[in-house]
Structure formats: C-alpha cells, structure tokens
Amino acid sequence: MSALFQPFTLRDVTIPNRVWMPPMCQYSAAPEGPSTGAPNDWHFAHYAARAAGGTGLIIVEATAVSPEGRISPYDLGIWNDTQVEAFRRITRFLTSHGTVPAIQLAHAGRKASTERPWKGGAPVGPDAYGWQPLGPSPLPFAAGHPVPTELTVAEIREIVEQFTDAARRALDAGFEIAEIHGAHGYLINEFLSPHSNHRTDAYGGSYENRTRLALEVVDAVREVWPEDKPLFFRISATDWLEEDGWTADDTVRFAAQLKEHGVDLLDVSTGGNASGARIPVGPGYQVPFAARVKAETPLSVAAVGLITDAEQAEKILANDEADAVLLGRELLRNPSFARLAARELGAEVHVPDQYHRSV
C-alpha cells in the first residue's frame, strides 16, 4: 500500500494521509479597520480548494499573535475575537471534508512591517500601514531594513503571553493542531541563532539562553493546548552559514528537547535568517535535515522543500526519511494534487460527491 496515503495519528488526532499543505502567506487580509488580520473570501476559497482536493492536513499560513507580529500589514492575525469568528468558517469546511485544520502561530520580529512580495517586499512605514519592528538585538535583517527595537525582558514575557492567548483563540476557532513558527528568520528563529541574537542576558549568548524563549513559548502554548491535540514546531534546521549561525547539530539537539516539552512533530525547513546565505536549492534539498532528525531523535518529522510529484513524495516516506511531506508550491499550482497522486499510486483519497465524475 502507498505510504503517502496511510493515515497518521498524533495524540488523539488522525490525519487521513501524508499529503500536507505547509503555511504559505497570502498577504490578503485587510490592513486596517474592524476586519484587520481576519481571513476573508480569498482565504476561504484558497484553503477550501485544497481540502476538496484531498489534502490530509492544511496548516493555515503564519498567523500573528499581535499586530506587531505580522510580516506585512496584510497578514492574518489571531489576537481578537473578530478574527476567531472568521476562522471558524474555514475550519468548519476543512473538517467537513476530512481535512485536519492546523494553524501556525507566529511573530515576525525584525522581519515585520514589509510590503507584499509582489510589491517588492521592502520595509514599509506608517504611511503604508507599517510600524517599528522588534527583535532580540538591534541588528537589521539586511541593508535597507530598519534597526529593530531590542526587546526588554518584560516585553519578551508579554510576547509569550500573546502566544498563549493566540493558542486559546485557535482552539476556539476550531483548529485541531497548533504549530509554533520558529523558522525563516522570524522572532523565535532570531533568538535561536547567534547570527541575530547578540544579547548578553538570560536570552542570549549560550545555546541554553538562546533557546530559552522558544521553550518558554512551547511550554506556555502546551499548557493551554489540550492534551489530546498535537503541537508542531517549525524550524529552520540551518542558517546556511559557515560560522556563527544555527546548525543542523543544534537542530538535532533542540528536537530532543522539544519532544520533552510536549512537541509532537518537527516541521523541518531551512534558511531565512541570514540575508546573504548561499542555499543550494534543488529537488528535495531540505529532506536530509528532516531525515537526520527522524534518525537521531524520537520526534516525528515532516519534510519540505521542492517536493513536487507523487513518486518523489512516496520515496521519502518509504525510505523513512520523514513521517509526512509538505508540498507548498505544488499545491499552489495544483489544489487537487492529493487526488491525482492517489490515482497514480493506486490509493484512495476523499473526493467530494460533486467531484465524483473526476475519479
């Protein structure tokens, strides 16, 4: 039987297959007004199409725990009840089609307050709905980016509480899985890496200090996230720097700790924290990092990174390199990837009644 279409159970949640959709920002929420940060018709249609296409798990894009935590003014947020109500429409539809709804809780840190990618992605100021970014240290992400305001210990504790509140709201909104965003150069990743964290207090310097915020967030979220529901953590397994960066060795060490703190699966990506890093992009280029975590720790893992066809995805799982695959660009191109992959591999997947003529 196809490995790609075997169910996967974490705690009391069973995901019907291993074709998963990773968080991919749509930059399509209102930047101001009562619906700021709330999902709208675009988001509903976007996620509903992938559920109708048979995707087993959909992780809703990076959703900010505070207004300042958005990557752009057009990002989703989950800091108020208006946003919660709007999310319920999406989670109800996904659940009705057998897709497990998940959400990525995020804070953009020093990479916040930027324009939408198709508008260039440059930093924006108050005249374009922008704000002053925050970070572990007063180090800009890249030339032309603002120097972030260095967070005080009191402000760090406030952000931990924001993740706690966001997790409570995510549960109320109908999500079955929460993922903490610790990758791609956003706030938690900034604290993890010595490239971006030059603090000299309890949140900087040593490995133990640099991982402190991440573990505090995990503990805070796990405390309010139900025992029967899984918790994921997304990580950049390497900064792709020759020195003074977060490394694959750090990731393996940290993965074991995350397991001890109640994380159920590591969503393994790479990069995003060093603007000048050279990344050898190619088919499945990030899979070896997931495979190493799976081989050397007790934590379940999901692999990402230019996984584009059924045979490739099947091989990753059959070789025990990961427990599931997350297909980003391919699901943007083809919302029905899971249904077509099932046909190719001789497996079965949920098909809406209205689409049975396509089987």
Side-chain angles (χ1 to χ4, degrees), residues 8 10 20 231-233 263-267 299-302 323-324:
F8 187 59
L10 290 167
W20 297 358
L231 177 63
F232 291 4
F233 190 98
V263 169
D264 300 288
L265 181 139
L266 193 65
D267 176 356
L299 196 57
S300 297
V301 299
D323 297 289

Side-chain angles (χ1 to χ4, degrees), residues 259-322:
K259 178 69 173 178
E260 294 172 357
H261 284 256
V263 169
D264 300 288
L265 181 139
L266 193 65
D267 176 356
V268 184
S269 188
T270 65
N273 193 42
S275 61
R278 295 182 179 181
I279 303 176
V281 176
Y285 71 104
Q286 296 176 136
V287 174
F289 296 96
R292 185 177 169 193
V293 172
K294 184 166 174 56
E296 298 182 26
T297 79
L299 196 57
S300 297
V301 299
V304 304
L306 293 184
I307 301 169
T308 58
D309 63 70
E311 184 178 352
Q312 178 193 17
E314 180 76 10
K315 185 177 179 181
I316 290 167
L317 300 182
N319 290 344
D320 206 28
E321 295 176 287

